[in-house]
Amino acid sequence: MARGAAQLTVELHERTSTDIVRAVAAGLVEAGIVTDAVDAGALALEPLAHDPLVLAVPPQHALARTRAAVALADVLGEPFVGLAHGSALQAHVEQQIARIGRRPPALRIRMADFEGVCAMVSQGVGLGIVPQAAARAQRRRHPLRTVALSDAWARRRLCLCTRGRETLSAPMRALSDHLAGTA
């Protein structure tokens, strides 16, 4: 740390975008990273990165041979690999399924992270929903294919949610600038 720099503590907690918006609005946290699909009300959303979700499929699956996008509703009868209880992404996917009036698919197994999901998908355990960047990163270790999800909610952007730039502390403003610069 540079001489004279303020001592800073950063805590990271995984929460759903809706929970993050509530925490920012209540003043419990300065900022949080949310998807642009959330209703942020009067809060400010600063786009940081595109983060589309894709359907990860085993290499031998029929969907692996197609390049067409698929709607999640069209594959809900398939077995799935999901993320652990409490995962913000898993909760988001289940909310989207509920919005279309469908029941979530039965999960054959829940994994703690995207690497675990991709490993199980590559072994034919089921399909998985993961960020495109995570699937790309795992392809070297785990043979799998991806199919674009045609659902609008899957074409998401990650945004920094705040009560407004003027409310941010200097360290949070610096982090915000850094995140915006790397996007």
Side-chain angles (χ1 to χ4, degrees):
M1 188 173 263
R3 199 175 188 139
Q7 294 295 319
L8 179 65
T9 301
V10 175
E11 286 188 42
L12 296 176
H13 299 277
E14 183 179 5
R15 301 286 186 263
T16 65
S17 291
T18 302
D19 289 344
I20 293 168
V21 165
R22 284 187 202 125
V24 171
L28 301 174
V29 299
E30 278 191 84
I33 297 177
V34 300
T35 69
D36 59 354
V38 72
D39 179 3
L43 298 176
L45 293 181
E46 179 183 339
L48 296 175
H50 288 280
D51 190 42
L53 297 175
V54 296
L55 187 66
V57 301
Q60 68 277 12
H61 195 280
L63 285 171
R65 294 183 291 279
T66 182
R67 294 193 177 242
V70 62
L72 182 57
D74 294 339
V75 294
L76 287 177
E78 298 271 351
F80 271 79
V81 175
L83 288 163
H85 289 288
S87 159
L89 178 58
Q90 191 67 40
H92 175 65
V93 169
E94 289 170 8
Q95 287 170 353
Q96 300 310 315
I97 294 169
R99 280 189 181 155
I100 60 171
R102 300 283 300 271
R103 299 180 91 192
L107 299 178
R108 283 193 167 164
I109 191 168
R110 288 182 181 267
M111 302 303 294
D113 55 28
F114 299 133
E115 180 179 4
V117 170
C118 290
M120 292 295 104
V121 167
S122 72
Q123 295 301 309
V125 174
L127 310 180
I129 297 173
V130 296
Q132 184 177 45
R136 264 194 220 125
Q138 294 301 318
R139 278 193 192 139
R140 286 190 183 139
R141 297 179 74 180
H142 307 292
L144 58 91
R145 303 288 183 269
T146 59
V147 178
L149 287 165
S150 61
D151 307 274
W153 58 266
R155 294 184 298 274
R156 65 188 192 157
R157 283 188 310 173
L158 296 180
C159 300
L160 186 68
C161 177
T162 67
R163 289 185 311 276
R165 188 159 181 75
E166 66 284 351
T167 68
L168 297 178
S169 64
M172 190 65 226
R173 228 178 344 232
L175 178 59
S176 170
D177 292 343
H178 172 75
L179 292 173
T182 61

